[in-house]
Amino acid sequence: MNYPKTQKIDVSDTYFGTTINDPYRWLEDDRSAETKAWVEAENKVTQNYLSNIPFKGAIKKRLETLWNYEKFTAPFKEGAYTYFYKNDGLQNQYVLYRQADKTKAEVFLDPNTFSKDATTSLAGIEFTKDGSHVAYQISEGGSDWRKVIVLKTADKSVVGDTLIDVKFSGLSWKGNEGFYYSSYDKPKEGSQLSGLTQYHKLFYHKIGTSQKEDVLVFGGDQTPRRYINGGLTDDQRFLVITAAVSTTGNELYIQDLSKPGSPITQIVNDFKNDYSIIDNQGSKLFIYTNYKAPNYRVVTVDASNPAPENWKDFIPETDNVLQASTAGGKFFANYLKDATSLVMQYDMDGNLERTVTLPGVGTASGFSAKKSERELYYTFTSYIYPPTIFKYIIATGQSLEYKKSGVQFDPSKYVSKQVFYTSKDGTKVPMIITHKKGIELNGKNPTLLYGYGGFSVSLTPSFSTSNIILLEQGGIYAVPNLRGGGEYGEKWHLAGTKMQKQNVFDDFIAAAEYLISNKYTSKEYLAISGGSNGGLLVAATMSQRPELFKVAFPAVGVLDMLRYNKFTAGAGWAYDYGTAEDSKEMFEYLLKYSPYHALKQGVSYPATLITTADHDDRVVPAHSFKFAARLQEFHQGASPALIRIETNAGHGAGKPTGKIIEEQADKWAFMLHNMGLSFK
């Protein structure tokens, strides 16, 4: 491969007496002409390679056929209308429709019209309680920075000015007069895409007024916090504020809006655990938390004296991890049992009414609705069960199939089973393996091993249209539930953080070894894939065990572990990762596995397709740029080391269907081609 020549400039940092060279630091400047020229040169090489794979066009055509069916989301009621999202098949963005009783559905918002290239997406929406007004967020080019537009729903007329520079925010209406939202000060110097965003602020915006007049409710200089969110209880009596300095643990505050001038009262004053108020009954608060309960529980307390010592169990902690929601005056406990769903319904007094009968073993989501509703809609899916929407009658517990997926896929031809394997330190880790029935376990099946392992994120079974390409070819899709995730509660999460992070990589490597030793595949037919924190996982494991994998797909990854906290919201990830400034021990630990630093001269690495986007302001593309430059410099061997940089796109949310299909076609073509296989 003739890679572009990447300039090296002498730059170094010293940590605890150790000097670390960083010759590709200049690629961190996403605004420079030099970086832009490098991106264009790398993309040219990558696209030239991919376009010469003879069957790439056939894969893209098959993906377009598979994708081209009507897709719906579960409906929801706002005022006199029922709203739902629909995609005709290959539309770049889902369209929001609405329907009054027994009338024809009409388009309410069509994000495909927001920009010529469909890269502006709908990124959040919130209606007033009576459904008369709506505030919605848009993301341009996949950026985390958002704009907010307010409409009257009756005639879709715009109310007031568009709010700008909103980031990591919900929208929560107070009556019809205004709403709460959160944002940061936009970085004044340097890149607005990669500049550090430090302190969140909660504002109140009165509709029809200028954004400059918005009232700072919480945050700023008085209470500097990295993440702040404000929301109202269903009866709009309480403003609930959560404030955090990292992605784990938060403070909890309330303000009684029924009493004018009432102060903001602190309920929890540390960041050691997670807390959220999910409902109230008058002054009785229902709090969802992992305080003294690593697997989570729901407690109750009176708002007049809400300190933790007064909390009483409402839904106690169990051996399974709890997610809790409310609908129709009931509570729904959605448990994770070995990474699959088990749902129970409780009344307002905490009495168990029933265990919800689900269609099978998989993931059920959406057990929430307004208190006034008598029914809800949930979605059920698994690796071989395309997403199906069910209507659930709350009073009787009856589930009725509402919308079945129209995808061309016959589940009866495939099998998806859970196994438990042993990691390096003896820990048992679950993994779900999916493939065609009757395949021969001869070590020659193309296999994609996908993982994440961080930030308490749980990987539960879900259907992927793109994965049909692999399964139809007799391939195998395997997903282990690594430590660092939330599948077994906070203990499982903590076992994959800071100076335990190597456990995550060991779990992933052990999953690969299990697949090989049980003849599902061999190293000649094994690919690994992951995005964001999962991109770190892939890049770290390919640098530690390059001989174990044939192909690697590190996507939008955190790859420079010494500098990740210098960009955008990166400092908020320190709870999971630690930082190079924390201590000599933490610095040395990070340096050892940091993918950018762990690459070695003269090693033969797997065929690698790094993917990122020029507008990714979550995990800045500099991580991928620097890793690609060093991989191309050090890699010894015939397999390609390429980077695919999507233009006018971000971390992933809101990506148009056309870009998704193009990227997936590139990925499958690259994988099969480098395994010496073709597409049948």
Side-chain angles (χ1 to χ4, degrees), residues 448-480:
L448 186 71
L449 178 64
Y450 177 83
Y452 187 79
F455 297 94
S456 203
V457 171
S458 300
L459 292 188
T460 61
S462 63
F463 188 80
S464 162
T465 303
S466 174
N467 285 350
I468 298 174
I469 294 290
L470 177 65
L471 298 177
E472 284 181 338
Q473 298 297 304
I476 292 168
Y477 184 63
V479 182

mmCIF file of all heavy atoms in Angstrom, residues 448-480:
data_model
loop_
_atom_site.group_PDB
_atom_site.id
_atom_site.type_symbol
_atom_site.label_atom_id
_atom_site.label_comp_id
_atom_site.label_asym_id
_atom_site.label_seq_id
_atom_site.Cartn_x
_atom_site.Cartn_y
_atom_site.Cartn_z
ATOM 1 N N LEU A 448 -17.793 -11.953 13.035
ATOM 2 C CA LEU A 448 -17.614 -10.593 13.553
ATOM 3 C C LEU A 448 -17.881 -10.613 15.052
ATOM 4 O O LEU A 448 -18.976 -10.966 15.491
ATOM 5 C CB LEU A 448 -18.551 -9.607 12.869
ATOM 6 C CG LEU A 448 -18.308 -8.138 13.264
ATOM 7 C CD1 LEU A 448 -16.998 -7.629 12.666
ATOM 8 C CD2 LEU A 448 -19.452 -7.242 12.807
ATOM 9 N N LEU A 449 -16.867 -10.252 15.821
ATOM 10 C CA LEU A 449 -16.973 -10.168 17.280
ATOM 11 C C LEU A 449 -17.126 -8.696 17.635
ATOM 12 O O LEU A 449 -16.230 -7.891 17.353
ATOM 13 C CB LEU A 449 -15.708 -10.761 17.912
ATOM 14 C CG LEU A 449 -15.595 -10.736 19.442
ATOM 15 C CD1 LEU A 449 -16.673 -11.599 20.089
ATOM 16 C CD2 LEU A 449 -14.205 -11.205 19.871
ATOM 17 N N TYR A 450 -18.261 -8.351 18.228
ATOM 18 C CA TYR A 450 -18.581 -6.943 18.522
ATOM 19 C C TYR A 450 -18.617 -6.713 20.023
ATOM 20 O O TYR A 450 -19.179 -7.523 20.772
ATOM 21 C CB TYR A 450 -19.945 -6.587 17.915
ATOM 22 C CG TYR A 450 -20.403 -5.173 18.231
ATOM 23 C CD1 TYR A 450 -19.954 -4.097 17.470
ATOM 24 C CD2 TYR A 450 -21.254 -4.914 19.302
ATOM 25 C CE1 TYR A 450 -20.352 -2.804 17.756
ATOM 26 C CE2 TYR A 450 -21.647 -3.622 19.608
ATOM 27 C CZ TYR A 450 -21.195 -2.567 18.826
ATOM 28 O OH TYR A 450 -21.587 -1.280 19.124
ATOM 29 N N GLY A 451 -18.019 -5.608 20.491
ATOM 30 C CA GLY A 451 -18.022 -5.337 21.926
ATOM 31 C C GLY A 451 -18.028 -3.855 22.253
ATOM 32 O O GLY A 451 -17.801 -3.001 21.396
ATOM 33 N N TYR A 452 -18.251 -3.558 23.548
ATOM 34 C CA TYR A 452 -18.222 -2.174 24.038
ATOM 35 C C TYR A 452 -17.465 -2.098 25.367
ATOM 36 O O TYR A 452 -16.370 -1.618 25.456
ATOM 37 C CB TYR A 452 -19.640 -1.616 24.161
ATOM 38 C CG TYR A 452 -19.653 -0.136 24.489
ATOM 39 C CD1 TYR A 452 -19.421 0.811 23.493
ATOM 40 C CD2 TYR A 452 -19.861 0.321 25.791
ATOM 41 C CE1 TYR A 452 -19.397 2.167 23.779
ATOM 42 C CE2 TYR A 452 -19.837 1.671 26.087
ATOM 43 C CZ TYR A 452 -19.612 2.593 25.083
ATOM 44 O OH TYR A 452 -19.582 3.932 25.375
ATOM 45 N N GLY A 453 -18.079 -2.564 26.459
ATOM 46 C CA GLY A 453 -17.370 -2.702 27.733
ATOM 47 C C GLY A 453 -16.987 -1.398 28.403
ATOM 48 O O GLY A 453 -15.815 -1.157 28.663
ATOM 49 N N GLY A 454 -17.967 -0.569 28.726
ATOM 50 C CA GLY A 454 -17.650 0.669 29.433
ATOM 51 C C GLY A 454 -18.870 1.481 29.792
ATOM 52 O O GLY A 454 -19.986 1.241 29.303
ATOM 53 N N PHE A 455 -18.676 2.447 30.695
ATOM 54 C CA PHE A 455 -19.680 3.459 31.039
ATOM 55 C C PHE A 455 -21.022 2.868 31.479
ATOM 56 O O PHE A 455 -22.069 3.477 31.305
ATOM 57 C CB PHE A 455 -19.879 4.435 29.870
ATOM 58 C CG PHE A 455 -18.621 5.204 29.556
ATOM 59 C CD1 PHE A 455 -17.738 4.758 28.578
ATOM 60 C CD2 PHE A 455 -18.281 6.333 30.273
ATOM 61 C CE1 PHE A 455 -16.563 5.437 28.308
ATOM 62 C CE2 PHE A 455 -17.105 7.029 30.010
ATOM 63 C CZ PHE A 455 -16.245 6.578 29.030
ATOM 64 N N SER A 456 -20.978 1.649 32.003
ATOM 65 C CA SER A 456 -22.178 0.960 32.486
ATOM 66 C C SER A 456 -23.220 0.733 31.388
ATOM 67 O O SER A 456 -24.399 0.555 31.664
ATOM 68 C CB SER A 456 -22.810 1.742 33.655
ATOM 69 O OG SER A 456 -23.605 0.894 34.438
ATOM 70 N N VAL A 457 -22.778 0.758 30.129
ATOM 71 C CA VAL A 457 -23.674 0.517 28.990
ATOM 72 C C VAL A 457 -23.889 -0.988 28.841
ATOM 73 O O VAL A 457 -22.929 -1.760 28.853
ATOM 74 C CB VAL A 457 -23.077 1.098 27.687
ATOM 75 C CG1 VAL A 457 -23.878 0.654 26.473
ATOM 76 C CG2 VAL A 457 -23.015 2.620 27.770
ATOM 77 N N SER A 458 -25.144 -1.388 28.709
ATOM 78 C CA SER A 458 -25.476 -2.810 28.558
ATOM 79 C C SER A 458 -25.768 -3.127 27.098
ATOM 80 O O SER A 458 -26.584 -2.457 26.464
ATOM 81 C CB SER A 458 -26.693 -3.167 29.417
ATOM 82 O OG SER A 458 -26.436 -2.918 30.782
ATOM 83 N N LEU A 459 -25.100 -4.140 26.558
ATOM 84 C CA LEU A 459 -25.383 -4.601 25.201
ATOM 85 C C LEU A 459 -26.430 -5.711 25.278
ATOM 86 O O LEU A 459 -26.126 -6.830 25.672
ATOM 87 C CB LEU A 459 -24.116 -5.133 24.527
ATOM 88 C CG LEU A 459 -23.015 -4.121 24.181
ATOM 89 C CD1 LEU A 459 -21.930 -4.793 23.348
ATOM 90 C CD2 LEU A 459 -23.565 -2.915 23.435
ATOM 91 N N THR A 460 -27.663 -5.364 24.931
ATOM 92 C CA THR A 460 -28.749 -6.348 24.969
ATOM 93 C C THR A 460 -29.099 -6.750 23.529
ATOM 94 O O THR A 460 -28.801 -6.012 22.588
ATOM 95 C CB THR A 460 -29.987 -5.778 25.685
ATOM 96 O OG1 THR A 460 -30.454 -4.620 24.967
ATOM 97 C CG2 THR A 460 -29.639 -5.367 27.113
ATOM 98 N N PRO A 461 -29.717 -7.921 23.339
ATOM 99 C CA PRO A 461 -29.972 -8.410 21.981
ATOM 100 C C PRO A 461 -30.800 -7.432 21.150
ATOM 101 O O PRO A 461 -31.852 -6.963 21.597
ATOM 102 C CB PRO A 461 -30.757 -9.709 22.225
ATOM 103 C CG PRO A 461 -30.370 -10.138 23.598
ATOM 104 C CD PRO A 461 -30.153 -8.873 24.367
ATOM 105 N N SER A 462 -30.324 -7.108 19.959
ATOM 106 C CA SER A 462 -31.082 -6.238 19.062
ATOM 107 C C SER A 462 -30.805 -6.632 17.625
ATOM 108 O O SER A 462 -29.709 -7.092 17.289
ATOM 109 C CB SER A 462 -30.720 -4.766 19.284
ATOM 110 O OG SER A 462 -29.364 -4.544 18.985
ATOM 111 N N PHE A 463 -31.807 -6.448 16.789
ATOM 112 C CA PHE A 463 -31.715 -6.871 15.396
ATOM 113 C C PHE A 463 -30.979 -5.818 14.573
ATOM 114 O O PHE A 463 -31.142 -4.619 14.787
ATOM 115 C CB PHE A 463 -33.115 -7.083 14.815
ATOM 116 C CG PHE A 463 -33.112 -7.694 13.446
ATOM 117 C CD1 PHE A 463 -32.943 -9.055 13.287
ATOM 118 C CD2 PHE A 463 -33.267 -6.903 12.319
ATOM 119 C CE1 PHE A 463 -32.928 -9.634 12.022
ATOM 120 C CE2 PHE A 463 -33.254 -7.470 11.055
ATOM 121 C CZ PHE A 463 -33.088 -8.835 10.910
ATOM 122 N N SER A 464 -30.158 -6.253 13.631
ATOM 123 C CA SER A 464 -29.444 -5.353 12.736
ATOM 124 C C SER A 464 -29.675 -5.781 11.296
ATOM 125 O O SER A 464 -29.343 -6.911 10.918
ATOM 126 C CB SER A 464 -27.942 -5.370 13.039
ATOM 127 O OG SER A 464 -27.195 -4.848 11.959
ATOM 128 N N THR A 465 -30.255 -4.883 10.502
ATOM 129 C CA THR A 465 -30.460 -5.183 9.079
ATOM 130 C C THR A 465 -29.128 -5.419 8.388
ATOM 131 O O THR A 465 -28.989 -6.308 7.540
ATOM 132 C CB THR A 465 -31.226 -4.027 8.405
ATOM 133 O OG1 THR A 465 -32.467 -3.825 9.085
ATOM 134 C CG2 THR A 465 -31.506 -4.328 6.945
ATOM 135 N N SER A 466 -28.119 -4.634 8.745
ATOM 136 C CA SER A 466 -26.802 -4.782 8.124
ATOM 137 C C SER A 466 -26.215 -6.174 8.360
ATOM 138 O O SER A 466 -25.575 -6.748 7.471
ATOM 139 C CB SER A 466 -25.845 -3.722 8.672
ATOM 140 O OG SER A 466 -24.543 -3.926 8.191
ATOM 141 N N ASN A 467 -26.432 -6.733 9.554
ATOM 142 C CA ASN A 467 -25.839 -8.040 9.883
ATOM 143 C C ASN A 467 -26.398 -9.186 9.052
ATOM 144 O O ASN A 467 -25.811 -10.271 9.014
ATOM 145 C CB ASN A 467 -26.027 -8.345 11.368
ATOM 146 C CG ASN A 467 -25.093 -7.540 12.241
ATOM 147 O OD1 ASN A 467 -24.172 -6.892 11.748
ATOM 148 N ND2 ASN A 467 -25.333 -7.555 13.540
ATOM 149 N N ILE A 468 -27.543 -8.952 8.390
ATOM 150 C CA ILE A 468 -28.097 -10.001 7.522
ATOM 151 C C ILE A 468 -27.068 -10.395 6.455
ATOM 152 O O ILE A 468 -26.970 -11.560 6.068
ATOM 153 C CB ILE A 468 -29.422 -9.537 6.865
ATOM 154 C CG1 ILE A 468 -30.485 -9.248 7.934
ATOM 155 C CG2 ILE A 468 -29.947 -10.590 5.889
ATOM 156 C CD1 ILE A 468 -31.771 -8.639 7.375
ATOM 157 N N ILE A 469 -26.293 -9.412 5.987
ATOM 158 C CA ILE A 469 -25.247 -9.681 4.984
ATOM 159 C C ILE A 469 -24.326 -10.795 5.476
ATOM 160 O O ILE A 469 -24.043 -11.762 4.760
ATOM 161 C CB ILE A 469 -24.427 -8.400 4.703
ATOM 162 C CG1 ILE A 469 -25.294 -7.332 4.025
ATOM 163 C CG2 ILE A 469 -23.169 -8.706 3.886
ATOM 164 C CD1 ILE A 469 -25.693 -7.643 2.604
ATOM 165 N N LEU A 470 -23.859 -10.681 6.713
ATOM 166 C CA LEU A 470 -22.950 -11.674 7.286
ATOM 167 C C LEU A 470 -23.649 -13.015 7.488
ATOM 168 O O LEU A 470 -23.114 -14.071 7.123
ATOM 169 C CB LEU A 470 -22.405 -11.159 8.620
ATOM 170 C CG LEU A 470 -21.493 -12.111 9.406
ATOM 171 C CD1 LEU A 470 -20.204 -12.379 8.642
ATOM 172 C CD2 LEU A 470 -21.182 -11.528 10.786
ATOM 173 N N LEU A 471 -24.854 -12.976 8.060
ATOM 174 C CA LEU A 471 -25.563 -14.219 8.378
ATOM 175 C C LEU A 471 -25.930 -14.996 7.116
ATOM 176 O O LEU A 471 -25.854 -16.224 7.088
ATOM 177 C CB LEU A 471 -26.818 -13.907 9.208
ATOM 178 C CG LEU A 471 -26.579 -13.252 10.572
ATOM 179 C CD1 LEU A 471 -27.898 -12.935 11.259
ATOM 180 C CD2 LEU A 471 -25.711 -14.129 11.478
ATOM 181 N N GLU A 472 -26.320 -14.275 6.059
ATOM 182 C CA GLU A 472 -26.664 -14.945 4.792
ATOM 183 C C GLU A 472 -25.454 -15.639 4.169
ATOM 184 O O GLU A 472 -25.611 -16.614 3.430
ATOM 185 C CB GLU A 472 -27.231 -13.927 3.793
ATOM 186 C CG GLU A 472 -28.659 -13.504 4.083
ATOM 187 C CD GLU A 472 -29.194 -12.503 3.050
ATOM 188 O OE1 GLU A 472 -28.382 -11.828 2.368
ATOM 189 O OE2 GLU A 472 -30.428 -12.396 2.935
ATOM 190 N N GLN A 473 -24.266 -15.131 4.463
ATOM 191 C CA GLN A 473 -23.040 -15.721 3.910
ATOM 192 C C GLN A 473 -22.549 -16.903 4.755
ATOM 193 O O GLN A 473 -21.432 -17.394 4.540
ATOM 194 C CB GLN A 473 -21.936 -14.663 3.845
ATOM 195 C CG GLN A 473 -22.243 -13.476 2.942
ATOM 196 C CD GLN A 473 -22.415 -13.870 1.483
ATOM 197 O OE1 GLN A 473 -21.538 -14.479 0.889
ATOM 198 N NE2 GLN A 473 -23.566 -13.529 0.909
ATOM 199 N N GLY A 474 -23.373 -17.319 5.730
ATOM 200 C CA GLY A 474 -22.940 -18.406 6.613
ATOM 201 C C GLY A 474 -22.007 -17.925 7.700
ATOM 202 O O GLY A 474 -21.292 -18.723 8.324
ATOM 203 N N GLY A 475 -21.994 -16.613 7.925
ATOM 204 C CA GLY A 475 -21.117 -16.037 8.936
ATOM 205 C C GLY A 475 -21.716 -16.047 10.326
ATOM 206 O O GLY A 475 -22.879 -16.419 10.534
ATOM 207 N N ILE A 476 -20.906 -15.632 11.287
ATOM 208 C CA ILE A 476 -21.286 -15.666 12.703
ATOM 209 C C ILE A 476 -21.149 -14.273 13.299
ATOM 210 O O ILE A 476 -20.166 -13.568 13.040
ATOM 211 C CB ILE A 476 -20.384 -16.665 13.466
ATOM 212 C CG1 ILE A 476 -20.679 -18.100 12.998
ATOM 213 C CG2 ILE A 476 -20.585 -16.549 14.984
ATOM 214 C CD1 ILE A 476 -19.656 -19.120 13.466
ATOM 215 N N TYR A 477 -22.150 -13.881 14.087
ATOM 216 C CA TYR A 477 -22.117 -12.605 14.800
ATOM 217 C C TYR A 477 -22.109 -12.914 16.291
ATOM 218 O O TYR A 477 -22.997 -13.606 16.793
ATOM 219 C CB TYR A 477 -23.341 -11.761 14.434
ATOM 220 C CG TYR A 477 -23.349 -10.381 15.047
ATOM 221 C CD1 TYR A 477 -22.374 -9.446 14.730
ATOM 222 C CD2 TYR A 477 -24.344 -10.003 15.945
ATOM 223 C CE1 TYR A 477 -22.378 -8.171 15.276
ATOM 224 C CE2 TYR A 477 -24.361 -8.727 16.500
ATOM 225 C CZ TYR A 477 -23.386 -7.816 16.160
ATOM 226 O OH TYR A 477 -23.388 -6.553 16.703
ATOM 227 N N ALA A 478 -21.084 -12.437 17.001
ATOM 228 C CA ALA A 478 -20.937 -12.771 18.425
ATOM 229 C C ALA A 478 -20.787 -11.494 19.243
ATOM 230 O O ALA A 478 -19.993 -10.607 18.900
ATOM 231 C CB ALA A 478 -19.720 -13.668 18.627
ATOM 232 N N VAL A 479 -21.551 -11.415 20.341
ATOM 233 C CA VAL A 479 -21.512 -10.228 21.213
ATOM 234 C C VAL A 479 -21.326 -10.668 22.665
ATOM 235 O O VAL A 479 -22.245 -11.211 23.286
ATOM 236 C CB VAL A 479 -22.795 -9.389 21.096
ATOM 237 C CG1 VAL A 479 -22.704 -8.139 21.970
ATOM 238 C CG2 VAL A 479 -23.065 -8.996 19.646
ATOM 239 N N PRO A 480 -20.138 -10.445 23.236
ATOM 240 C CA PRO A 480 -19.931 -10.724 24.657
ATOM 241 C C PRO A 480 -20.331 -9.519 25.516
ATOM 242 O O PRO A 480 -20.250 -8.378 25.058
ATOM 243 C CB PRO A 480 -18.423 -10.961 24.741
ATOM 244 C CG PRO A 480 -17.850 -10.143 23.629
ATOM 245 C CD PRO A 480 -18.906 -10.016 22.563
#
